[in-house]
Amino acid sequence: MTDLTSFAGLLARGGPALWLIALLSVLTLALVLWKVWRLSLVGAWAGGRAEALVSRICADEAPALPERPRTVRLRFVTDSWHVLQSGAFAPDAAREEITRLAQRALADLRGGLRPLELIATIAPLIGLLGTVLGMIEAFQALQDSGAQADAGVLAGGIWEALLTTAAGMAVAIPATIALSWFESVADTVRHDMEDHATRLAIHAHKGTGAA
């Protein structure tokens, strides 16, 4: 109870800027947890089945393609192989269609990253704004007190003003780290898709040439 009271006291001292930063911190945590959950659902860290399927296709083993693949890589490999084997696309059109499939999958992977990027950008700015406003208020109080100015009161006003800068950075740093991590996951999936698409296209071209 005492900790909650102290925390509420800090928020009150920091003013509206600190309350807004606290709200952004909660939103950041929610976005990170939601994004981890979404990436887990689409198998962003599970590429083994897709790699095995591509290897079997390239080895002419004619594997049975999954009907409703749930992981992003496996779905991309299945859809791309259907495009290459359907005969409904010319080589250039097939390449464009596979590119479209990859872009759609990557757009889903990167969904929700824009708000996280925005939080990482504006949280320090809100903190800096709160500090500037707090410093203005502290120096106004110093001016009003005139010759009777108390250095302790001034120091207290300054550290209270600096709370918002520290809080803004404390929110922005984890948000930036999470954003960079999610981007690296999407980049890894993109590289895997490029590799799978290239190998499938080469194999399909060999099969067409042999025929």
Side-chain angles (χ1 to χ4, degrees):
M1 187 67 180
T2 303
D3 293 338
L4 290 177
T5 304
S6 301
F7 180 69
L10 285 177
L11 290 177
R13 289 183 176 186
L18 196 56
W19 280 99
L20 181 56
I21 292 172
L23 178 61
L24 289 178
S25 69
V26 175
L27 182 58
T28 299
L29 179 60
L31 283 172
V32 170
L33 293 177
W34 172 79
K35 194 61 187 176
V36 170
W37 175 69
R38 287 292 300 166
L39 291 176
S40 299
L41 282 183
V42 299
W45 294 283
R49 292 185 62 191
E51 174 63 29
L53 180 59
V54 172
S55 298
R56 293 178 64 187
I57 291 174
C58 293
D60 290 322
E61 295 183 11
L65 300 179
E67 294 184 1
R68 294 182 179 178
R70 297 184 60 182
T71 64
V72 60
R73 293 177 181 85
L74 192 59
R75 183 167 59 247
F76 172 74
V77 169
T78 301
D79 293 343
S80 298
W81 188 239
H82 280 311
V83 169
L84 292 169
Q85 290 295 293
S86 66
F89 297 91
D92 290 341
R95 184 163 50 250
E96 291 296 327
E97 177 63 13
I98 291 174
T99 300
R100 185 189 68 81
L101 293 173
Q103 289 175 344
R104 185 177 65 182
L106 291 173
D108 290 340
L109 284 178
R110 291 193 168 99
L113 295 187
R114 184 68 67 181
L116 200 58
E117 182 180 1
L118 181 62
I119 290 174
T121 301
I122 67 173
L125 297 179
I126 295 174
L128 182 59
L129 176 61
T131 294
V132 171
L133 294 177
M135 294 291 286
I136 292 174
E137 184 178 347
F139 282 112
Q140 281 181 339
L142 177 63
Q143 182 182 17
D144 294 340
S145 62
Q148 299 179 350
D150 187 348
V153 174
L154 177 61
I158 291 176
W159 81 258
E160 288 176 6
L162 291 174
L163 277 176
T164 56
T165 295
M169 295 176 68
V171 172
I173 291 172
T176 303
I177 293 173
L179 180 63
S180 180
W181 178 43
F182 292 141
E183 287 285 359
S184 69
V185 172
D187 287 341
T188 299
V189 175
R190 177 175 59 83
H191 288 311
D192 290 345
M193 286 181 175
E194 290 175 352
D195 177 73
H196 296 335
T198 301
R199 290 161 62 191
L200 291 176
I202 292 174
H203 181 71
H205 178 71
K206 286 181 178 178
T208 303

PDB file of all heavy atoms in Angstrom, residues 142-165:
ATOM      1  N   LEU A 142      11.232  30.600  -7.840  1.00  0.00           N
ATOM      2  CA  LEU A 142      12.456  31.221  -7.340  1.00  0.00           C
ATOM      3  C   LEU A 142      12.403  32.736  -7.502  1.00  0.00           C
ATOM      4  O   LEU A 142      12.795  33.489  -6.600  1.00  0.00           O
ATOM      5  CB  LEU A 142      13.664  30.648  -8.101  1.00  0.00           C
ATOM      6  CG  LEU A 142      15.029  31.237  -7.747  1.00  0.00           C
ATOM      7  CD1 LEU A 142      15.373  30.951  -6.281  1.00  0.00           C
ATOM      8  CD2 LEU A 142      16.118  30.675  -8.661  1.00  0.00           C
ATOM      9  N   GLN A 143      11.882  33.175  -8.634  1.00  0.00           N
ATOM     10  CA  GLN A 143      11.771  34.611  -8.864  1.00  0.00           C
ATOM     11  C   GLN A 143      10.792  35.261  -7.884  1.00  0.00           C
ATOM     12  O   GLN A 143      11.046  36.353  -7.353  1.00  0.00           O
ATOM     13  CB  GLN A 143      11.322  34.881 -10.301  1.00  0.00           C
ATOM     14  CG  GLN A 143      11.212  36.360 -10.656  1.00  0.00           C
ATOM     15  CD  GLN A 143      10.708  36.566 -12.070  1.00  0.00           C
ATOM     16  OE1 GLN A 143      10.150  35.650 -12.677  1.00  0.00           O
ATOM     17  NE2 GLN A 143      10.905  37.751 -12.600  1.00  0.00           N
ATOM     18  N   ASP A 144       9.682  34.595  -7.613  1.00  0.00           N
ATOM     19  CA  ASP A 144       8.682  35.151  -6.705  1.00  0.00           C
ATOM     20  C   ASP A 144       9.192  35.230  -5.273  1.00  0.00           C
ATOM     21  O   ASP A 144       8.805  36.128  -4.513  1.00  0.00           O
ATOM     22  CB  ASP A 144       7.407  34.302  -6.743  1.00  0.00           C
ATOM     23  CG  ASP A 144       6.708  34.367  -8.096  1.00  0.00           C
ATOM     24  OD1 ASP A 144       6.971  35.339  -8.852  1.00  0.00           O
ATOM     25  OD2 ASP A 144       5.927  33.436  -8.412  1.00  0.00           O
ATOM     26  N   SER A 145      10.070  34.291  -4.899  1.00  0.00           N
ATOM     27  CA  SER A 145      10.575  34.296  -3.528  1.00  0.00           C
ATOM     28  C   SER A 145      11.625  35.368  -3.291  1.00  0.00           C
ATOM     29  O   SER A 145      11.889  35.735  -2.153  1.00  0.00           O
ATOM     30  CB  SER A 145      11.158  32.918  -3.182  1.00  0.00           C
ATOM     31  OG  SER A 145      12.258  32.616  -4.025  1.00  0.00           O
ATOM     32  N   GLY A 146      12.239  35.872  -4.355  1.00  0.00           N
ATOM     33  CA  GLY A 146      13.196  36.973  -4.249  1.00  0.00           C
ATOM     34  C   GLY A 146      14.411  36.606  -3.424  1.00  0.00           C
ATOM     35  O   GLY A 146      15.005  35.537  -3.585  1.00  0.00           O
ATOM     36  N   ALA A 147      14.765  37.474  -2.479  1.00  0.00           N
ATOM     37  CA  ALA A 147      15.978  37.289  -1.676  1.00  0.00           C
ATOM     38  C   ALA A 147      15.831  36.154  -0.682  1.00  0.00           C
ATOM     39  O   ALA A 147      16.828  35.663  -0.148  1.00  0.00           O
ATOM     40  CB  ALA A 147      16.333  38.585  -0.952  1.00  0.00           C
ATOM     41  N   GLN A 148      14.619  35.738  -0.419  1.00  0.00           N
ATOM     42  CA  GLN A 148      14.390  34.675   0.560  1.00  0.00           C
ATOM     43  C   GLN A 148      14.374  33.289  -0.088  1.00  0.00           C
ATOM     44  O   GLN A 148      13.820  32.351   0.463  1.00  0.00           O
ATOM     45  CB  GLN A 148      13.058  34.915   1.281  1.00  0.00           C
ATOM     46  CG  GLN A 148      13.012  36.230   2.053  1.00  0.00           C
ATOM     47  CD  GLN A 148      11.676  36.457   2.731  1.00  0.00           C
ATOM     48  OE1 GLN A 148      10.717  35.721   2.479  1.00  0.00           O
ATOM     49  NE2 GLN A 148      11.610  37.465   3.582  1.00  0.00           N
ATOM     50  N   ALA A 149      14.945  33.173  -1.286  1.00  0.00           N
ATOM     51  CA  ALA A 149      14.934  31.904  -2.013  1.00  0.00           C
ATOM     52  C   ALA A 149      15.624  30.805  -1.213  1.00  0.00           C
ATOM     53  O   ALA A 149      16.689  31.019  -0.621  1.00  0.00           O
ATOM     54  CB  ALA A 149      15.629  32.077  -3.362  1.00  0.00           C
ATOM     55  N   ASP A 150      15.001  29.645  -1.199  1.00  0.00           N
ATOM     56  CA  ASP A 150      15.543  28.477  -0.494  1.00  0.00           C
ATOM     57  C   ASP A 150      16.116  27.516  -1.535  1.00  0.00           C
ATOM     58  O   ASP A 150      15.394  27.013  -2.410  1.00  0.00           O
ATOM     59  CB  ASP A 150      14.440  27.796   0.312  1.00  0.00           C
ATOM     60  CG  ASP A 150      14.978  26.674   1.198  1.00  0.00           C
ATOM     61  OD1 ASP A 150      16.154  26.289   1.008  1.00  0.00           O
ATOM     62  OD2 ASP A 150      14.227  26.169   2.046  1.00  0.00           O
ATOM     63  N   ALA A 151      17.419  27.252  -1.445  1.00  0.00           N
ATOM     64  CA  ALA A 151      18.062  26.364  -2.417  1.00  0.00           C
ATOM     65  C   ALA A 151      17.468  24.965  -2.371  1.00  0.00           C
ATOM     66  O   ALA A 151      17.373  24.272  -3.386  1.00  0.00           O
ATOM     67  CB  ALA A 151      19.556  26.302  -2.160  1.00  0.00           C
ATOM     68  N   GLY A 152      17.051  24.533  -1.171  1.00  0.00           N
ATOM     69  CA  GLY A 152      16.446  23.207  -1.056  1.00  0.00           C
ATOM     70  C   GLY A 152      15.138  23.107  -1.793  1.00  0.00           C
ATOM     71  O   GLY A 152      14.858  22.102  -2.457  1.00  0.00           O
ATOM     72  N   VAL A 153      14.335  24.160  -1.725  1.00  0.00           N
ATOM     73  CA  VAL A 153      13.070  24.168  -2.451  1.00  0.00           C
ATOM     74  C   VAL A 153      13.313  24.157  -3.954  1.00  0.00           C
ATOM     75  O   VAL A 153      12.633  23.442  -4.707  1.00  0.00           O
ATOM     76  CB  VAL A 153      12.223  25.393  -2.045  1.00  0.00           C
ATOM     77  CG1 VAL A 153      10.972  25.497  -2.897  1.00  0.00           C
ATOM     78  CG2 VAL A 153      11.867  25.320  -0.573  1.00  0.00           C
ATOM     79  N   LEU A 154      14.302  24.943  -4.389  1.00  0.00           N
ATOM     80  CA  LEU A 154      14.630  24.974  -5.817  1.00  0.00           C
ATOM     81  C   LEU A 154      15.113  23.611  -6.296  1.00  0.00           C
ATOM     82  O   LEU A 154      14.696  23.127  -7.353  1.00  0.00           O
ATOM     83  CB  LEU A 154      15.706  26.027  -6.076  1.00  0.00           C
ATOM     84  CG  LEU A 154      16.208  26.133  -7.521  1.00  0.00           C
ATOM     85  CD1 LEU A 154      15.069  26.518  -8.455  1.00  0.00           C
ATOM     86  CD2 LEU A 154      17.357  27.136  -7.617  1.00  0.00           C
ATOM     87  N   ALA A 155      15.978  22.969  -5.509  1.00  0.00           N
ATOM     88  CA  ALA A 155      16.483  21.647  -5.900  1.00  0.00           C
ATOM     89  C   ALA A 155      15.350  20.639  -5.972  1.00  0.00           C
ATOM     90  O   ALA A 155      15.304  19.783  -6.867  1.00  0.00           O
ATOM     91  CB  ALA A 155      17.549  21.188  -4.904  1.00  0.00           C
ATOM     92  N   GLY A 156      14.395  20.740  -5.002  1.00  0.00           N
ATOM     93  CA  GLY A 156      13.253  19.840  -5.042  1.00  0.00           C
ATOM     94  C   GLY A 156      12.418  20.037  -6.285  1.00  0.00           C
ATOM     95  O   GLY A 156      11.963  19.067  -6.909  1.00  0.00           O
ATOM     96  N   GLY A 157      12.234  21.277  -6.701  1.00  0.00           N
ATOM     97  CA  GLY A 157      11.477  21.539  -7.917  1.00  0.00           C
ATOM     98  C   GLY A 157      12.178  21.018  -9.151  1.00  0.00           C
ATOM     99  O   GLY A 157      11.534  20.522 -10.087  1.00  0.00           O
ATOM    100  N   ILE A 158      13.507  21.104  -9.156  1.00  0.00           N
ATOM    101  CA  ILE A 158      14.265  20.646 -10.329  1.00  0.00           C
ATOM    102  C   ILE A 158      14.201  19.126 -10.449  1.00  0.00           C
ATOM    103  O   ILE A 158      13.982  18.585 -11.533  1.00  0.00           O
ATOM    104  CB  ILE A 158      15.728  21.133 -10.238  1.00  0.00           C
ATOM    105  CG1 ILE A 158      15.780  22.659 -10.407  1.00  0.00           C
ATOM    106  CG2 ILE A 158      16.582  20.455 -11.307  1.00  0.00           C
ATOM    107  CD1 ILE A 158      17.163  23.247 -10.233  1.00  0.00           C
ATOM    108  N   TRP A 159      14.400  18.403  -9.339  1.00  0.00           N
ATOM    109  CA  TRP A 159      14.378  16.932  -9.465  1.00  0.00           C
ATOM    110  C   TRP A 159      12.988  16.424  -9.803  1.00  0.00           C
ATOM    111  O   TRP A 159      12.854  15.418 -10.528  1.00  0.00           O
ATOM    112  CB  TRP A 159      14.946  16.262  -8.217  1.00  0.00           C
ATOM    113  CG  TRP A 159      14.050  16.121  -7.032  1.00  0.00           C
ATOM    114  CD1 TRP A 159      14.050  16.888  -5.914  1.00  0.00           C
ATOM    115  CD2 TRP A 159      13.036  15.123  -6.823  1.00  0.00           C
ATOM    116  NE1 TRP A 159      13.101  16.454  -5.028  1.00  0.00           N
ATOM    117  CE2 TRP A 159      12.461  15.369  -5.547  1.00  0.00           C
ATOM    118  CE3 TRP A 159      12.554  14.058  -7.585  1.00  0.00           C
ATOM    119  CZ2 TRP A 159      11.434  14.597  -5.022  1.00  0.00           C
ATOM    120  CZ3 TRP A 159      11.525  13.277  -7.061  1.00  0.00           C
ATOM    121  CH2 TRP A 159      10.973  13.536  -5.798  1.00  0.00           C
ATOM    122  N   GLU A 160      11.970  17.111  -9.327  1.00  0.00           N
ATOM    123  CA  GLU A 160      10.623  16.722  -9.716  1.00  0.00           C
ATOM    124  C   GLU A 160      10.413  16.933 -11.214  1.00  0.00           C
ATOM    125  O   GLU A 160       9.763  16.119 -11.883  1.00  0.00           O
ATOM    126  CB  GLU A 160       9.600  17.521  -8.916  1.00  0.00           C
ATOM    127  CG  GLU A 160       9.515  17.119  -7.453  1.00  0.00           C
ATOM    128  CD  GLU A 160       8.556  17.997  -6.667  1.00  0.00           C
ATOM    129  OE1 GLU A 160       7.879  18.834  -7.303  1.00  0.00           O
ATOM    130  OE2 GLU A 160       8.487  17.849  -5.437  1.00  0.00           O
ATOM    131  N   ALA A 161      10.977  18.032 -11.741  1.00  0.00           N
ATOM    132  CA  ALA A 161      10.845  18.301 -13.173  1.00  0.00           C
ATOM    133  C   ALA A 161      11.594  17.261 -14.000  1.00  0.00           C
ATOM    134  O   ALA A 161      11.151  16.878 -15.089  1.00  0.00           O
ATOM    135  CB  ALA A 161      11.367  19.705 -13.488  1.00  0.00           C
ATOM    136  N   LEU A 162      12.722  16.781 -13.474  1.00  0.00           N
ATOM    137  CA  LEU A 162      13.528  15.807 -14.218  1.00  0.00           C
ATOM    138  C   LEU A 162      12.906  14.410 -14.218  1.00  0.00           C
ATOM    139  O   LEU A 162      13.337  13.538 -14.980  1.00  0.00           O
ATOM    140  CB  LEU A 162      14.946  15.741 -13.635  1.00  0.00           C
ATOM    141  CG  LEU A 162      15.807  16.992 -13.864  1.00  0.00           C
ATOM    142  CD1 LEU A 162      17.117  16.869 -13.111  1.00  0.00           C
ATOM    143  CD2 LEU A 162      16.075  17.194 -15.358  1.00  0.00           C
ATOM    144  N   LEU A 163      11.919  14.177 -13.366  1.00  0.00           N
ATOM    145  CA  LEU A 163      11.255  12.876 -13.332  1.00  0.00           C
ATOM    146  C   LEU A 163      10.696  12.492 -14.694  1.00  0.00           C
ATOM    147  O   LEU A 163      10.781  11.334 -15.111  1.00  0.00           O
ATOM    148  CB  LEU A 163      10.119  12.896 -12.304  1.00  0.00           C
ATOM    149  CG  LEU A 163      10.483  12.654 -10.835  1.00  0.00           C
ATOM    150  CD1 LEU A 163       9.240  12.808  -9.967  1.00  0.00           C
ATOM    151  CD2 LEU A 163      11.095  11.279 -10.656  1.00  0.00           C
ATOM    152  N   THR A 164      10.105  13.453 -15.379  1.00  0.00           N
ATOM    153  CA  THR A 164       9.449  13.131 -16.642  1.00  0.00           C
ATOM    154  C   THR A 164      10.459  12.729 -17.719  1.00  0.00           C
ATOM    155  O   THR A 164      10.179  11.847 -18.529  1.00  0.00           O
ATOM    156  CB  THR A 164       8.615  14.323 -17.136  1.00  0.00           C
ATOM    157  OG1 THR A 164       9.446  15.485 -17.237  1.00  0.00           O
ATOM    158  CG2 THR A 164       7.477  14.625 -16.175  1.00  0.00           C
ATOM    159  N   THR A 165      11.630  13.373 -17.721  1.00  0.00           N
ATOM    160  CA  THR A 165      12.659  12.978 -18.690  1.00  0.00           C
ATOM    161  C   THR A 165      13.119  11.550 -18.442  1.00  0.00           C
ATOM    162  O   THR A 165      13.244  10.746 -19.376  1.00  0.00           O
ATOM    163  CB  THR A 165      13.867  13.934 -18.612  1.00  0.00           C
ATOM    164  OG1 THR A 165      13.463  15.241 -19.016  1.00  0.00           O
ATOM    165  CG2 THR A 165      14.978  13.471 -19.529  1.00  0.00           C
TER     166      THR A 165
END
